[in-house]
Short mmCIF file of all heavy atoms in Angstrom, two decimals:
data_model
loop_
_atom_site.label_atom_id
_atom_site.label_comp_id
_atom_site.label_asym_id
_atom_site.label_seq_id
_atom_site.Cartn_x
_atom_site.Cartn_y
_atom_site.Cartn_z
N ILE A 218 -18.00 2.60 -28.62
CA ILE A 218 -17.30 3.79 -29.10
C ILE A 218 -15.87 3.78 -28.58
O ILE A 218 -15.62 3.46 -27.43
CB ILE A 218 -18.07 5.07 -28.67
CG1 ILE A 218 -17.43 6.33 -29.25
CG2 ILE A 218 -18.19 5.17 -27.17
CD1 ILE A 218 -18.31 7.56 -29.11
N SER A 219 -14.93 4.07 -29.47
CA SER A 219 -13.51 4.16 -29.11
C SER A 219 -13.07 5.59 -29.35
O SER A 219 -13.48 6.22 -30.32
CB SER A 219 -12.68 3.21 -29.96
OG SER A 219 -13.06 1.88 -29.74
N PHE A 220 -12.21 6.07 -28.48
CA PHE A 220 -11.74 7.45 -28.58
C PHE A 220 -10.26 7.49 -28.94
O PHE A 220 -9.48 6.63 -28.52
CB PHE A 220 -11.93 8.20 -27.25
CG PHE A 220 -13.37 8.32 -26.85
CD1 PHE A 220 -13.86 7.59 -25.79
CD2 PHE A 220 -14.22 9.14 -27.54
CE1 PHE A 220 -15.18 7.70 -25.41
CE2 PHE A 220 -15.55 9.25 -27.17
CZ PHE A 220 -16.03 8.53 -26.10
N ALA A 221 -9.88 8.52 -29.70
CA ALA A 221 -8.48 8.80 -29.98
C ALA A 221 -7.83 9.25 -28.67
O ALA A 221 -8.54 9.58 -27.70
CB ALA A 221 -8.38 9.89 -31.04
N PRO A 222 -6.51 9.26 -28.57
CA PRO A 222 -5.87 9.70 -27.31
C PRO A 222 -6.43 11.05 -26.84
O PRO A 222 -6.51 12.00 -27.61
CB PRO A 222 -4.39 9.79 -27.67
CG PRO A 222 -4.23 8.81 -28.78
CD PRO A 222 -5.50 8.88 -29.56
N ALA A 223 -6.81 11.07 -25.59
CA ALA A 223 -7.41 12.28 -25.00
C ALA A 223 -7.07 12.33 -23.52
O ALA A 223 -6.56 11.37 -22.94
CB ALA A 223 -8.92 12.25 -25.21
N SER A 224 -7.40 13.44 -22.90
CA SER A 224 -7.19 13.63 -21.47
C SER A 224 -8.09 12.68 -20.69
O SER A 224 -9.27 12.52 -21.01
CB SER A 224 -7.51 15.08 -21.11
OG SER A 224 -7.69 15.22 -19.73
N SER A 225 -7.54 12.08 -19.66
CA SER A 225 -8.34 11.16 -18.84
C SER A 225 -9.50 11.91 -18.18
O SER A 225 -10.58 11.36 -18.02
CB SER A 225 -7.47 10.47 -17.79
OG SER A 225 -6.90 11.42 -16.93
N ARG A 226 -9.28 13.15 -17.84
CA ARG A 226 -10.34 13.95 -17.22
C ARG A 226 -11.52 14.09 -18.19
O ARG A 226 -12.68 14.02 -17.78
CB ARG A 226 -9.80 15.32 -16.83
CG ARG A 226 -10.79 16.18 -16.14
CD ARG A 226 -10.14 17.45 -15.65
NE ARG A 226 -11.16 18.35 -15.18
CZ ARG A 226 -10.95 19.62 -14.97
NH1 ARG A 226 -9.77 20.14 -15.17
NH2 ARG A 226 -11.93 20.38 -14.54
N SER A 227 -11.24 14.28 -19.47
CA SER A 227 -12.31 14.39 -20.47
C SER A 227 -13.09 13.08 -20.57
O SER A 227 -14.32 13.09 -20.66
CB SER A 227 -11.73 14.73 -21.84
OG SER A 227 -11.12 15.99 -21.82
N ILE A 228 -12.39 11.97 -20.53
CA ILE A 228 -13.07 10.66 -20.63
C ILE A 228 -13.94 10.42 -19.40
O ILE A 228 -15.09 10.00 -19.52
CB ILE A 228 -12.04 9.53 -20.81
CG1 ILE A 228 -11.26 9.78 -22.07
CG2 ILE A 228 -12.69 8.17 -20.73
CD1 ILE A 228 -11.21 8.73 -23.10
N TYR A 229 -13.41 10.73 -18.22
CA TYR A 229 -14.21 10.55 -17.01
C TYR A 229 -15.42 11.48 -17.01
O TYR A 229 -16.50 11.10 -16.57
CB TYR A 229 -13.36 10.75 -15.76
CG TYR A 229 -12.30 9.69 -15.57
CD1 TYR A 229 -10.99 10.02 -15.27
CD2 TYR A 229 -12.60 8.35 -15.71
CE1 TYR A 229 -10.02 9.05 -15.09
CE2 TYR A 229 -11.64 7.37 -15.55
CZ TYR A 229 -10.35 7.73 -15.24
OH TYR A 229 -9.40 6.77 -15.08
N SER A 230 -15.24 12.70 -17.48
CA SER A 230 -16.36 13.63 -17.57
C SER A 230 -17.39 13.12 -18.58
O SER A 230 -18.60 13.27 -18.37
CB SER A 230 -15.87 15.02 -17.97
OG SER A 230 -15.01 15.54 -17.00
N TRP A 231 -16.93 12.54 -19.68
CA TRP A 231 -17.83 11.96 -20.68
C TRP A 231 -18.66 10.84 -20.06
O TRP A 231 -19.88 10.77 -20.26
CB TRP A 231 -17.03 11.45 -21.88
CG TRP A 231 -17.87 10.75 -22.89
CD1 TRP A 231 -18.61 11.31 -23.88
CD2 TRP A 231 -18.06 9.34 -23.02
NE1 TRP A 231 -19.25 10.35 -24.61
CE2 TRP A 231 -18.93 9.12 -24.09
CE3 TRP A 231 -17.58 8.24 -22.32
CZ2 TRP A 231 -19.33 7.85 -24.49
CZ3 TRP A 231 -17.99 6.98 -22.70
CH2 TRP A 231 -18.86 6.78 -23.78
N ILE A 232 -18.02 9.96 -19.28
CA ILE A 232 -18.73 8.86 -18.63
C ILE A 232 -19.82 9.42 -17.72
O ILE A 232 -20.96 8.97 -17.73
CB ILE A 232 -17.75 7.97 -17.82
CG1 ILE A 232 -16.79 7.24 -18.75
CG2 ILE A 232 -18.52 6.97 -16.96
CD1 ILE A 232 -15.64 6.57 -18.02
N ASP A 233 -19.47 10.42 -16.92
CA ASP A 233 -20.43 11.03 -16.01
C ASP A 233 -21.60 11.64 -16.79
O ASP A 233 -22.77 11.45 -16.42
CB ASP A 233 -19.74 12.10 -15.16
CG ASP A 233 -20.68 12.75 -14.16
OD1 ASP A 233 -21.33 12.00 -13.40
OD2 ASP A 233 -20.75 13.99 -14.15
N ALA A 234 -21.32 12.36 -17.87
CA ALA A 234 -22.38 13.00 -18.65
C ALA A 234 -23.27 11.97 -19.33
O ALA A 234 -24.49 12.15 -19.40
CB ALA A 234 -21.77 13.94 -19.68
N VAL A 235 -22.68 10.88 -19.82
CA VAL A 235 -23.47 9.82 -20.47
C VAL A 235 -24.41 9.19 -19.44
O VAL A 235 -25.59 8.96 -19.71
CB VAL A 235 -22.55 8.77 -21.12
CG1 VAL A 235 -23.31 7.51 -21.47
CG2 VAL A 235 -21.90 9.34 -22.37
N GLU A 236 -23.90 8.91 -18.25
CA GLU A 236 -24.73 8.32 -17.20
C GLU A 236 -25.86 9.28 -16.79
O GLU A 236 -26.98 8.86 -16.55
CB GLU A 236 -23.89 7.96 -15.98
CG GLU A 236 -22.92 6.83 -16.21
CD GLU A 236 -23.56 5.46 -16.09
OE1 GLU A 236 -24.57 5.33 -15.39
OE2 GLU A 236 -23.03 4.52 -16.71
#
Side-chain angles (χ1 to χ4, degrees):
I218 185 167
S219 298
F220 297 109
S224 163
S225 61
R226 183 174 171 196
S227 296
I228 299 236
Y229 293 133
S230 298
W231 175 83
I232 294 169
D233 182 53
V235 165
E236 292 278 334

